[in-house]
Amino acid sequence: MPDVQVLVNEFLNNLKKRKIEGSQATARQTAELLRSVISQQRVSYTNQAGALMDAVRAVGEQLIAANPVELAVGNIVRRVLHIIREENISLTTAAIAGLGVSAVSDDDDDAERNDHPVLSAASLAAAARSTLRPPSLQTLLEDVPDSAAVPHTSSSGGDSDGKSRSADKSSRTRKLKHDVIEAVNELIQDITTCYEQIAEQAVEHIHQNEVILTLGSSRTVLEFLCAAKEKKRSFRVFVAEGAPRYQGHLLAKELVTRGLQTTLITDSAVFAMISRVNMVIVGAHAVMANGGVIAPVGLNMVALAAQRHAVPFVVLAGTHKLCPLYPHNPEVLLNELRSPSELLDFGEFSDCMDFGNGTSSPLLHVVNPTFDYVPPKLVSLFITDTGGHNPSYMYRLIADYYSADDLVVQRRPKGS
């Protein structure tokens, strides 16, 4: 098995050079990398969850910094941290339940238990909850007495009891890593199959003889429309070309190849054509906690046109695109500028870009943003792999996948 640091460095290089296209591929590879980190991480039985979370945070910080605008990376890092917390409290709860059973069934040792520091079920439950709230993991370790701190009797029964406790802790350590890896495998499977899960809902939203408008190219939208076609739905698709990269040309060609009636239009023709449209269906780069959408540039214009003509604006997004942050959070980089060469030929406009006016700035500036921000009031419905949701419900859906303690991914100082 290759060294995990080699895998991390290779993935960091790909992120920095923008070699990974699409949020789905980025999310899947991030989850696979973190699975390798967890698998190769050695943890002691005293602070298993804390050690795993520190290892994930250490790698996650580097991944997020490598490409801050790709929010899917941070989403997966936070999802994995949440998985560790959930699996740890599940094991702790099971241990508490087992302790309660033994306390009820063994009445003969009550007098002996009174001589030793024993935690009540309420104390153990509080300790379990504290395990999930950094920076109290170290405090928990200091408060909970381990087998070495508890005095034992000189009988052979006491020795065997100490050995069994040690074996139980070692088994719990292995089980935590195993359960976390299994949960991450399920996450990877969900990311891989998100297109199919979303496409299965197409027949519920696209009806006979409707006209659908989309912009640019999105595989999620492609599979969604083709799934409706396979269910014998007859409809027409208007595709705005998505300048300046013209990704809509690729989508239009793929739709025609799969037998859908398609009309390619310019972005500036959206307002002119929107009155003929029954529904707008688009993809997303990320869905924020307030229900706002970070999407390819030009979609805010489409959303405004849809609102003006009372046309439903539907956003398709896998759960790996749900971001627990708000647009105003300092950790969120909403946009990045692409090369001006996508807009014009430098040779043709070289005279305009000379510093001919004698000042320190060129005569012509070229701005080529990658994304638009669509506020939640312009969105009619979100369709994820878990079903359809109103924008006002997105914060609750996001809360099921993330912990509030992981919104800022950074390692805690060792002294804390």
Side-chain angles (χ1 to χ4, degrees):
M1 180 178 293
D3 181 64
V4 67
Q5 191 57 47
V6 174
L7 298 176
V8 171
N9 291 337
E10 180 180 356
F11 189 58
L12 287 172
N13 185 58
N14 291 337
L15 285 176
K16 292 177 180 178
K17 295 184 177 180
R18 307 300 196 265
K19 289 186 176 181
I20 305 175
E21 287 286 339
S23 298
Q24 193 260 7
T26 305
R28 188 189 70 252
Q29 293 184 37
T30 301
E32 292 172 348
L33 176 63
L34 295 180
R35 180 182 60 185
S36 299
V37 171
I38 294 171
S39 177
Q40 298 190 29
Q41 179 68 25
R42 293 188 176 185
V43 296
S44 62
Y45 62 77
T46 55
N47 192 8
Q48 309 128 29
L52 292 178
M53 292 172 66
D54 285 344
V56 171
R57 284 195 187 98
V59 176
E61 281 185 275
Q62 301 177 60
L63 300 183
I64 294 173
N67 189 358
V69 78
E70 185 53 80
L71 298 179
V73 174
N75 295 344
I76 297 304
V77 172
R78 297 180 181 94
R79 285 281 295 271
V80 172
L81 290 172
H82 181 69
I83 286 173
I84 297 174
R85 294 176 184 276
E86 290 294 306
E87 295 300 334
N88 182 62
I89 196 170
S90 177
L91 288 177
T92 305
T93 303
I96 293 172
L99 185 62
V101 171
S102 63
V104 172
S105 61
D106 191 0
D107 296 331
D108 297 332
D109 294 338
D110 286 343
E112 182 179 352
R113 285 196 185 95
N114 290 335
D115 297 333
H116 303 303
V118 178
L119 293 178
S120 65
S123 299
L124 286 173
R129 290 192 298 269
S130 298
T131 306
L132 302 181
R133 298 193 190 98
S136 59
L137 286 171
Q138 186 65 31
T139 305
L140 176 61
L141 293 176
E142 295 173 353
D143 292 341
V144 179
D146 57 23
S147 58
V150 176
H152 296 286
T153 62
S154 58
S155 63
S156 59
D159 295 338
S160 62
D161 183 59
K163 293 179 181 179
S164 64
R165 290 182 184 179
S166 177
D168 289 343
K169 289 181 178 180
S170 178
S171 174
R172 184 173 180 273
T173 301
R174 293 192 299 269
K175 181 168 177 54
L176 177 61
K177 284 185 63 175
H178 176 269
D179 291 350
V180 169
I181 291 174
E182 285 298 315
V184 174
N185 286 336
E186 294 178 5
L187 172 60
I188 295 172
Q189 181 66 19
D190 291 341
I191 296 172
T192 305
T193 61
C194 71
Y195 298 134
E196 293 79 4
Q197 297 294 328
I198 295 175
E200 288 178 358
Q201 307 169 58
V203 71
E204 303 173 10
H205 300 278
I206 298 179
H207 305 97
Q208 193 73 7
N209 298 324
E210 286 190 332
V211 178
I212 308 299
L213 171 66
T214 188
L215 180 142
S217 179
S218 166
R219 183 182 170 186
T220 311
V221 173
L222 172 65
E223 298 298 337
F224 191 82
L225 297 175
C226 292
K229 175 69 167 56
E230 292 173 359
K231 297 295 183 180
K232 307 304 180 182
R233 291 285 195 267
S234 177
F235 57 95
R236 174 176 289 276
V237 183
F238 288 172
V239 181
E241 59 184 356
R245 300 182 68 191
Y246 302 106
Q247 294 292 306
H249 296 181
L250 303 177
L251 178 62
K253 182 178 180 180
E254 187 66 29
L255 290 174
V256 170
T257 302
R258 299 206 189 184
L260 278 81
Q261 301 180 53
T262 306
T263 301
L264 183 66
I265 64 175
T266 61
D267 297 343
S268 56
V270 167
F271 261 96
M273 304 296 290
I274 194 68
S275 60
R276 307 182 189 182
V277 172
N278 299 106
M279 183 185 302
V280 176
I281 299 178
V282 297
H285 177 70
V287 179
M288 310 307 292
N290 66 337
V293 180
I294 298 178
V297 66
L299 273 182
N300 188 56
M301 172 193 65
V302 177
L304 290 171
Q307 183 193 48
R308 177 68 180 81
H309 290 267
V311 176
F313 187 87
V314 179
V315 177
L316 311 181
T319 53
H320 61 276
K321 294 185 178 182
L322 305 183
C323 180
L325 304 177
Y326 289 85
H328 61 265
N329 286 134
E331 298 84 8
V332 177
L333 182 60
L334 289 178
N335 221 328
E336 68 176 353
L337 300 180
R338 298 183 63 86
S339 171
S341 62
E342 295 179 347
L343 296 178
L344 49 80
D345 182 6
F346 283 114
E348 182 179 355
F349 287 86
S350 59
D351 294 340
C352 301
M353 302 187 71
D354 285 341
F355 294 82
N357 57 358
T359 65
S360 59
S361 61
L363 297 174
L364 175 66
H365 294 271
V366 180
V367 180
N368 184 16
T370 304
F371 301 112
D372 257 347
Y373 174 71
V374 181
K377 66 180 181 180
L378 300 181
V379 180
S380 305
L381 181 70
F382 287 99
I383 300 178
T384 72
D385 35 322
T386 62
H389 308 282
N390 291 325
S392 59
Y393 182 77
M394 295 309 294
Y395 83 96
R396 185 65 189 88
L397 182 64
I398 289 174
D400 292 337
Y401 294 108
Y402 301 98
S403 170
D405 296 321
D406 300 323
L407 298 186
V408 179
V409 180
Q410 60 182 26
R411 286 172 292 175
R412 293 179 291 108
K414 291 185 178 181
S416 63

